[in-house]
Amino acid sequence: MTTAAVIGIAGLGIIAAAPVASADPTPTPTVTCGAYGLQSGLSTKVCAEVTGDNVRLFGQVGLAGPPSPGSPPRQPQSLNLRLSGNVGGVSLGAVNQDSLFHYSTISVFGVGGTVPCGSTVHGSFAVESYQWPARPVTVDLVLPC
């Protein structure tokens, strides 16, 4: 047997021993957001990230747009942020967080869990400050089967 034949046979053994790719890939997360809310120059939204049968809700508050040229710097605002969710009236949790808002977007996490397919998930995110009451934004989605 020649050296090339031995190397070829050895190479086939290495190929045969290579691991086979998994037939069950990890599910890709999908994100669905409700309509934006506008309040005192701020934009709010609530979203649901779904991976398989797991749902994670999150809320965000940020500037509604860039500051107007020549406008004075925005003063920090003390905000109370409330995120909650449920499935058919059963709570997925709630988060109540006080934050100081400057110019950076603030995200709130911590609500979610495993949800049966075909169920309707409801999420709500509210932002409140001394100057104005909360105007909650919502998201509703049915988990696909």
Side-chain angles (χ1 to χ4, degrees), residues 28-139:
T28 303
T30 59
V31 176
T32 302
C33 297
Y36 285 86
L38 296 174
Q39 187 170 349
S40 187
L42 299 178
S43 173
T44 57
K45 71 176 179 177
V46 63
C47 303
E49 180 184 77
V50 178
T51 307
D53 62 354
N54 190 43
V55 175
R56 182 176 80 140
L57 296 170
F58 62 94
Q60 291 184 326
V61 60
L63 287 176
S68 300
S71 64
R74 199 174 164 90
Q75 295 299 312
Q77 288 179 285
S78 180
L79 303 177
N80 177 257
L81 311 172
R82 295 188 308 266
L83 174 67
S84 63
N86 67 67
V87 176
V90 177
S91 177
L92 289 172
V95 173
N96 191 0
Q97 172 182 318
D98 290 322
S99 294
L100 192 59
F101 180 80
H102 292 280
Y103 283 101
S104 300
T105 298
I106 299 172
S107 297
V108 179
F109 299 93
V111 174
T114 303
V115 176
C117 75
S119 299
T120 300
V121 175
H122 173 77
S124 177
F125 181 60
V127 177
E128 188 174 32
S129 182
Y130 174 72
Q131 302 94 321
W132 28 269
R135 290 187 187 158
V137 290
T138 61
V139 65

